């Protein structure tokens, strides 16, 4: 009879929008519990007190990172803080989960990876879409050869809750995100790289602040978000939004073109004032095409690969997107991906080894987003995506072993 593994004691930094990941990781009696949490916001700590009875709560992240009884740390803070906090935890010898994106500049991402390499401490990045059933289904279809060799990928991202989620707090400011073409698109760039089997090397983008920049209903600096900052159905149409962030200097629509290092051509489009909220992927190979219709429970992926024709709604094959055992808990669960993401992280903390998420891929997604944002803001001039130090690539490809 095998003894049950010791319960991991987790420390959490930040209990904001992605505090749902901390709730998912809190499994008292089932392998892990949140033992300590730091957040400078008293209201967040009060909420955490109810969510994690008995956990130590503080406004000082150092009390979590350097606590001797903490086995691993989850960094769930705003994007621009990730590098400093993750590096401090890695240097303290604590395995680290960093919410995506890894950070908001190429240099800060590289510093995280370099610190993980030099300390030998395990690093995990929360690109949960690699665990979404719709993404894994599309990847399986590609791997089976049903559409031949991938040649081009098109992604349309309809962000129906954009005005609620991204223009009422720190997400709306370049100094905290670089831009939403990085912050929000990092998910899809990572998935696109995964499906295509390569990384973007040359990018070109256009975009603008077309809707929320004209809305005068801003909160005063320092004024907290309104009680109804987000509703179940969202505030619609976009012009009815109130209480927007005092500063809004990120784009609400963007178009990105990419050439990958394996020759694949890709395109990504993002809009924050659409009425619907989902992602549409079209992947075209040299022997067929696939496309998803919906991206959570009830969605399907269709494949056309038997012949040429005019438009036909009836595909040659249709696959239902699987439902995870945890079920679809909507935005917080990302179609059941978040529990699977945490499962993999906890296994990685205990055992190490290969993971479906990748620190190298996370860095490359940020690098593409950073260079694309620079292109967008100078009128669309193409930009080269910087490569990562081969020594770091090799280290992470080996499963973070020397």
């Amino acid at each position: 009879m095998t003894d049950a593994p010791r319960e991991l004691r987790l420390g959490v930094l930040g209990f904001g929008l992605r505090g749902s990941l901390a709730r998912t990781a809190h499994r008292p009696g089932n392998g892990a519990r949140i033992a300590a949490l730091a957040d400078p916001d008293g209201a967040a700590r009060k909420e955490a007190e109810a969510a994690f009875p008995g956990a130590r709560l503080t406004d000082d992240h150092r009390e979590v990172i350097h606590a001797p009884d903490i086995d691993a740390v989850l960094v769930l803070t705003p994007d621009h803080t990730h590098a400093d906090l993750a590096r401090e935890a890695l240097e303290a010898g604590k395995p680290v989960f960093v919410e995506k994106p890894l950070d908001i500049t190429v240099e800060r991402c590289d510093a995280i990876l370099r610190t993980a390499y030099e300390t030998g401490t395990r690093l995990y990045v929360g690109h949960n879409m690699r665990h979404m059933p719709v993404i894994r289904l599309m990847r399986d279809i590609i791997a089976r050869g049903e559409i031949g060799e991938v040649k081009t990928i098109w992604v349309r991202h309809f962000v129906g809750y954009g005005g609620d989620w991204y223009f009422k707090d720190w997400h709306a400011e370049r100094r905290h995100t670089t831009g939403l073409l990085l912050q929000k698109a990092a998910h899809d760039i990572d998935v696109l790289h995964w499906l295509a089997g390569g990384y973007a090397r040359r990018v070109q983008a256009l975009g603008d602040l077309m809707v929320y920049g004209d809305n005068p209903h801003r909160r005063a600096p320092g004024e907290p978000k309104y009680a109804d900052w987000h509703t179940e159905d969202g505030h619609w149409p976009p012009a009815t939004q109130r209480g927007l962030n005092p500063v809004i200097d990120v784009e609400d629509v963007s178009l990105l073109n990419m050439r990958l290092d394996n020759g694949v051509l890709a395109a990504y489009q993002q809009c924050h004032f659409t009425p619907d909220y989902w992602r549409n992927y079209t992947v075209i190979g040299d022997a067929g095409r696939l496309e998803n219709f919906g991206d959570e429970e009830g969605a399907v992926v269709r494949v056309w690969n038997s012949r040429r024709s005019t438009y036909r709604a009836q595909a040659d094959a249709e696959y239902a997107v699987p439902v995870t055992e945890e079920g679809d808990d909507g935005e917080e669960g990302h179609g059941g991906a978040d529990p699977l993401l945490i499962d993999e992280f906890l296994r990685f903390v205990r055992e190490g080894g290969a993971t479906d998420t990748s620190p190298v891929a996370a860095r490359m997604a940020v690098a593409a987003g950073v260079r694309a944002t620079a292109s967008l803001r100078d009128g669309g001039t193409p930009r080269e995506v910087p490569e990562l130090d081969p020594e770091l690539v090799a280290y992470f490809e080996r499963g973070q072993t020397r």
Side-chain angles (χ1 to χ4, degrees), residues 89-164:
L90 290 167
E91 289 168 350
K94 302 293 173 66
V96 176
F97 175 109
V98 183
E99 170 62 345
K100 73 88 201 167
L102 188 56
D103 203 278
I104 68 170
T105 73
V106 177
E107 294 76 17
R108 289 173 65 82
C109 290
D110 288 358
I112 296 175
L113 269 59
R114 176 65 62 182
T115 301
Y117 171 76
E118 291 176 349
T119 62
T121 310
R122 291 170 181 164
L123 171 66
Y124 187 92
V125 187
H127 272 286
N128 55 3
M129 281 187 66
R130 290 195 176 208
H131 290 282
M132 284 181 67
V134 66
I135 301 302
R136 298 180 81 88
L137 173 59
M138 290 191 292
R139 193 164 187 265
D140 288 346
I141 292 169
I142 292 168
R144 291 196 297 264
E146 292 191 35
I147 62 170
E149 183 179 348
V150 173
K151 295 297 183 181
T152 188
I153 301 177
W154 309 336
V155 182
R156 298 184 299 165
H157 192 182
F158 308 106
V159 193
Y161 288 94
D164 296 85

Side-chain angles (χ1 to χ4, degrees), residues 210-233:
M210 304 184 78
V211 171
Y212 299 110
D214 294 331
N215 189 320
H217 299 285
R218 313 284 181 91
R219 301 190 317 279
E223 182 182 1
K225 288 190 288 190
Y226 296 172
D228 69 341
W229 68 276
H230 173 70
T231 66
E232 186 66 27
D233 296 325

Side-chain angles (χ1 to χ4, degrees), residues 243-325:
L244 297 177
N245 200 60
V247 175
I248 297 177
D249 60 4
V250 297
E251 295 76 16
D252 54 18
V253 64
S254 54
L255 315 172
L256 167 61
N257 295 314
M258 293 170 271
R259 182 182 291 277
L260 276 57
D261 54 11
N262 59 1
V264 170
L265 293 177
Y268 170 82
Q269 303 172 1
Q270 178 189 107
C271 182
H272 287 266
F273 45 88
T274 65
D276 45 348
Y277 195 5
W278 66 294
R279 293 170 166 93
N280 173 251
Y281 280 77
T282 296
V283 185
I284 304 174
D286 57 9
R289 174 172 79 86
L290 70 76
E291 184 174 355
N292 69 296
F293 294 82
D295 55 16
E296 294 189 335
E297 184 176 357
V300 298
V301 176
R302 295 182 178 131
V303 176
W304 291 264
N305 61 2
S306 68
R307 59 188 172 86
R308 288 188 296 190
S309 70
T310 57
Y311 171 77
R312 54 188 170 103
Q314 185 68 39
D316 295 300
E318 179 172 305
Y319 302 95
V321 173
V323 178
T324 63
E325 291 182 6

Side-chain angles (χ1 to χ4, degrees), residues 363-379:
R363 182 270 189 189
M364 294 306 298
V366 170
V370 166
R371 291 299 189 263
T373 301
S375 170
L376 180 158
R377 290 175 182 161
D378 75 357

